[in-house]
Amino acid sequence: MMRISDIMEKEIINVKNGKKLGFITDIDLDVENGKVSSFSITGSSGNFFYRGAEIDTVYWKDILRIGCDTIIVSIGSNLNFDQNQIDI
């Protein structure tokens, strides 16, 4: 069993582009069904009071794995390596 306080200490990482999304600042609960519906997260600063911190939503359906230190999610499109070609 995991507590909400344990989940809020984990960093969110997007598996599609490898980007650190930040930390959970709020949890949205579906009280009627007794389930977590989504998380609100701040930018990678991890500080809710940081001015200009970007706040996003991660839906429960997008979570792939909850690990010891991180939560792996799948959000957005895959990283396109063709855009970052290096000419030699």
Side-chain angles (χ1 to χ4, degrees):
M1 185 172 292
M2 189 175 298
R3 296 175 187 225
I4 291 176
S5 60
D6 296 333
I7 290 176
M8 294 184 78
E9 295 176 0
K10 299 177 186 296
E11 188 168 25
I12 311 293
I13 298 177
N14 189 355
V15 72
K16 290 198 173 182
N17 60 10
K19 205 175 193 184
K20 294 179 179 181
L21 300 179
F23 293 88
I24 295 171
T25 56
D26 197 12
I27 297 176
D28 295 325
L29 300 172
D30 180 357
V31 180
E32 291 179 12
N33 296 318
K35 296 181 180 182
V36 174
S37 56
S38 66
F39 298 111
S40 296
I41 59 172
T42 59
S44 59
S45 68
N47 184 350
F48 184 72
F49 298 106
Y50 173 71
R51 177 176 264 184
E54 187 175 322
I55 299 177
D56 287 319
T57 301
V58 174
Y59 295 98
W60 186 259
K61 66 178 179 61
D62 295 328
I63 296 175
L64 300 177
R65 175 87 58 195
I66 298 177
C68 295
D69 298 322
T70 59
I71 298 175
I72 307 297
V73 299
S74 179
I75 300 172
S77 61
N78 291 329
L79 183 63
N80 185 357
F81 290 106
D82 293 337
Q83 294 174 354
N84 300 323
Q85 289 181 355
I86 299 173
D87 295 327
I88 299 177

